[in-house]
Amino acid sequence: MTHDDHGDDHRTPTAEPVLVSLSAPARRSLVAGLVRPTGGTPDPVERVDVDIPDPDLAAYLAGIAHADHGFVAVTTSGPRALAVVAATVAALCGEDIPNALTTPDLTFLKSLKPAAIEATRNVLLAIETPAEQQVREALQVLDA
């Protein structure tokens, strides 16, 4: 006679499924991996010379913040790269884009939550430049 033949009501509990998130972790840095050599982003991608006049760039950023695709900024200037990061965040937050271009709020940028960083990086895909070291150094203030 086996154990089951005794009419034992003790049953082995069935295992419950364990839910595991397979999504990518949120970025912890606004600028890590952002700077690339000129042409270093695979096509197709919209590249924008961000050394254009501030009013033109502000108008562009106001529109791209609500588009279904991002863009790659192209510049040779470290300070301009920092300004573009700040202005992209301002465009997404509905803040003053021209002011962000001239006076980036470093405290605010360093306090962004992972979701805001992810949203920014979905719009500003990369900064392409022939002056990679200079641009990286200018953006380092955001990781300090």
Side-chain angles (χ1 to χ4, degrees), residues 44-64:
V45 68
E46 185 173 339
R47 287 179 175 81
V48 176
D49 177 356
V50 295
D51 294 328
I52 60 178
D54 283 1
D56 296 337
L57 183 55
Y60 173 78
L61 292 172
I64 195 72

Side-chain angles (χ1 to χ4, degrees), residues 18-104:
V18 176
L19 300 177
V20 177
S21 174
L22 298 178
S23 63
R27 294 181 216 267
R28 297 195 192 326
S29 169
L30 188 58
V31 295
L34 187 64
V35 179
R36 299 181 186 163
T38 302
T41 306
D43 285 324
V45 68
E46 185 173 339
R47 287 179 175 81
V48 176
D49 177 356
V50 295
D51 294 328
I52 60 178
D54 283 1
D56 296 337
L57 183 55
Y60 173 78
L61 292 172
I64 195 72
H66 304 291
D68 61 354
H69 65 282
F71 77 103
V72 171
V74 179
T75 186
T76 58
S77 166
R80 190 59 167 184
L82 180 59
V84 167
V85 171
T88 301
V89 171
L92 288 166
C93 294
E95 298 293 327
D96 186 344
I97 300 168
N99 186 55
L101 284 168
T102 59
T103 314

